[in-house]
Amino acid sequence: MTRRFVALAALALCLPSLAFAQKRKAPVKNVDHGEIYVNGAYQGSSGDVSSTVSFTANLETGSFTSKFRVMPGAAFDAGGRVRVWKRLGVGAAVTSFSANGTTDITGQVPHPFFFRTPRSITGEASIERKETAFHLRAVVSSPPGRRLQFSGFAGPVFFSVSQTLVDKANYSDAYPFDTATFTSATTRRVSKSKTGFGAGADVAYYFMKNLGVGFSASFASGSFDLRAVDDSPVAIKAGGGLAGLGLRIRF
Amino acid sequence: MRNVVVVALVFATGAWVHSQTPAPTDRVMRVTAAARALAPGQSDAGALADLRAWDQRVTDMQRAGDLRRLAGISDDMVAGGVDERFEQRHLGVRVFGGSLTRQLNRFGQAESVFGTIYPDVTIDVTPALAPDAAASRLAAAGNGVVLRTSPPELMIIPNDAGGYRLTYSARVFSAADGWVRRVFIDADTGATADSYIDSWTQTAAIGTGSGVIGDTKKIMTGQQGSSFIAADLLRPPDSNTYFGLPRTGILTFDLKGNLNRTLQVLDFLAPAVTDIAADSDNVWTDAAIVDAHTYAGYTYDFYYKRFGRKGLDNANLQMWLFTNPVKATDWPALFGQYGGTFFLNAFYSSGGNVTFGVGLPSTVTMSGKTWYPFSGALDVVAHELTHGVTDYTSDLIYRNESGALNESFSDMMGTAVEFDFQPVGNGIGQADWLEGEDIARPGGIRSLSNPNAYGHPDHYSLRRTTSADNGGVHTNSSIVNHMFYLAIAGGTNRVSGQTVVGVGFENRQQIERAIYRAFTVLMPASATFSAARAATIQAARDLYGTNSNAERALTAAWNAVGVS
């Protein structure tokens, strides 16, 4: 997909010379059969991923919680639309986002000698979130003016999320066992797909007949559960606010 | 005894002046010397001179072979310090009760010396009896068998009428009544010279009993095939193994109420793996076993965490806990012979071994109390195991004042362990100032806060001067117990009317640590109450400084109970 957009961008670079050549001859009426775009984008946080896992140790139930905040970060956004009737069109886009970071782990480990005397552990583990979203859109566009063109869009979003979850908080302890020390975390990558909804707007500035730059702002969201190692649900939110800036090619 | 007591302290008041250098004609020399004055009115300069004289004397005696250095241990509680322990020898033979401790600071200078020596021993040490013959004579004198852990040893004992006697001595277990005795026989004639019960035990007042409180707790076990045994594998193990038993720190045996097997095992014919308490599913239902095993673990934990001590001998000696020595229901037939051992008692009998009595059936009351298995009380278990700590430290002689101190140390530490593991309160399973309240219901068997309520002395003037109970070791201990209570909680002594400002319950560790240091490091085997006073005050200074709250509370508490 990315390679396709790069080819289109290269094509766009050739267009200014053509437009320049035409400019001196006669005014040309702008047409708008559709548009393709590619954005460098910034995606906001979709919230925290918090999972609590219970386990059995020393005849009691212990637990640990890992909390990972999906931090905002760079994203890739590309897509296009085709006008189908008057100012209405249909579009499709794909966005890709990933966030790496650490998750804070806090846990309670049962004492081997005594009931109801848990020991606390704290630690960190590396976590990765990857999101790929495929958007189908209904698009309403403004008439193609000399320079500016506005669009609004909305439609379903098909999310595919890959998230690292902490399966086990490993710890060490020794006599007299009054403390335990976090040593590492055993993690696992979990993937799941889910449909959500997205909407947004785009404004393009065409400094040439078919080539311009644009800014888009959109929001997409999908909520679903992953399953922790003990089969407890881990609520996930995908998507979030997305702001992008990039090339526009109109045809 | 024709005791001429020389205390190496100079009292500036002049009420009584003691020689700084013991005269050679003194029959017994009791030493309490420290770098600073230990008693009101004593000058620091005089005390220091006294200490230097004793320090030199210890060195001279060691060079001459009259003192044998048993240990020189780095002091865990005073940085850079070394604690030395000596026993007196005459021509290589131990003089019973002659022992000294010397505490060195980080510069190798003596900080204090405590102990007792006999300066005029001159007897010949060649016995007419051979050791093998002595062993059989000792066994006969004790009506039992000589313990393997205590083979016959030549020993010089002071005669009450003066002079000294060369003897053989050993600990002897008697199957006739379940007691271990320290027996002395004349090394020439084989005649019994002395004997006393040496099962370091907590004797219950016959009457109330109590048992296991029905709580659920974790028990440390070992899996063996498809079964589980009461072998604590999580606490630090002994580096040795014995008789093919598991190498663990704590082993609990189930004698299954079989008196014959009990007598065999306590005869030290060696307990077998099959004697170890076992359970098929690790869900243990024998409360006596559960409590003996878990409470021994708690006691180990207390000593480790509070004092840095690794078990009874500070080297993780394996603890053997014997439960169910008889069946409680057999009491009509057996109580007359074994009531004070296997029913209403628990006792420590050297080598890290403790036997817990079974109590009485719940339908039977005695002395107004219901008696439960003795392992069901945390303070009782800790009490008995503390006898083991004493066994490997001061080795307080189990009679008269040193015996009462031996008992009191166990009571004090038993109470301290209870406060450390149970919630404070007045009910069953709660920590209080009573001893044995969970197994002798209602009320337990002793009180540290109010000994008089149990008919026990709470002031030195009321001490029992009896030959019974090894000189009242279980009653006179209450004087020291009450001192411990007053030093922590404060209050007014009933007899003296003196009021003590204690360190406060939240600071009780200060007193516990001072007591522990005094009883395990500073005190000699033959310590008196007066020596214990000096040693505990010195210990408080060592740990918390001169004129610290702990020192002032201990001093006031000893004053209040009449020990000077």
Side-chain angles (χ1 to χ4, degrees), chain A residues 58 60 111-112 114 175 178, chain B residues 218 220 298 300-301 305:
Chain A
N58 303 324
E60 287 183 274
H111 197 294
F114 311 105
Y175 180 82
D178 290 338
Chain B
K218 293 182 180 180
M220 303 301 111
Y298 295 176
Y300 181 96
D301 296 342
K305 290 193 273 190

Side-chain angles (χ1 to χ4, degrees), chain B residues 118-189:
Chain B
Y118 297 86
D120 59 346
V121 183
T122 56
I123 66 171
D124 179 60
V125 293
T126 307
L129 274 180
D132 287 348
S136 55
R137 295 286 186 98
L138 283 162
N143 191 25
V145 295
V146 173
L147 299 184
R148 292 182 183 183
T149 54
S150 172
E153 177 188 3
L154 265 184
M155 205 174 290
I156 296 166
I157 61 171
N159 293 324
D160 286 348
Y164 298 90
R165 192 171 188 180
L166 183 67
T167 68
Y168 279 105
S169 179
R171 278 175 168 150
V172 178
F173 170 76
S174 172
D177 55 13
W179 292 110
V180 172
R181 290 177 172 80
R182 166 68 69 179
V183 179
F184 302 86
I185 60 167
D186 191 289
D188 294 328
T189 67

Side-chain angles (χ1 to χ4, degrees), chain B residues 405-439:
Chain B
L405 289 168
N406 190 325
E407 275 298 318
S408 177
F409 182 47
S410 284
D411 275 351
M412 292 186 286
M413 291 299 108
T415 300
V417 173
E418 193 174 272
F419 277 126
D420 210 46
F421 285 92
Q422 293 181 338
V424 176
N426 295 315
I428 298 302
Q430 294 180 316
D432 52 29
W433 295 100
L434 298 177
E435 184 77 5
E437 72 281 3
D438 289 349
I439 52 102

Side-chain angles (χ1 to χ4, degrees), chain B residues 277-294:
Chain B
D279 190 273
S280 60
D281 58 1
N282 221 13
V283 180
W284 299 68
T285 55
D286 190 314
I289 293 169
V290 170
D291 278 350
H293 199 63
T294 56

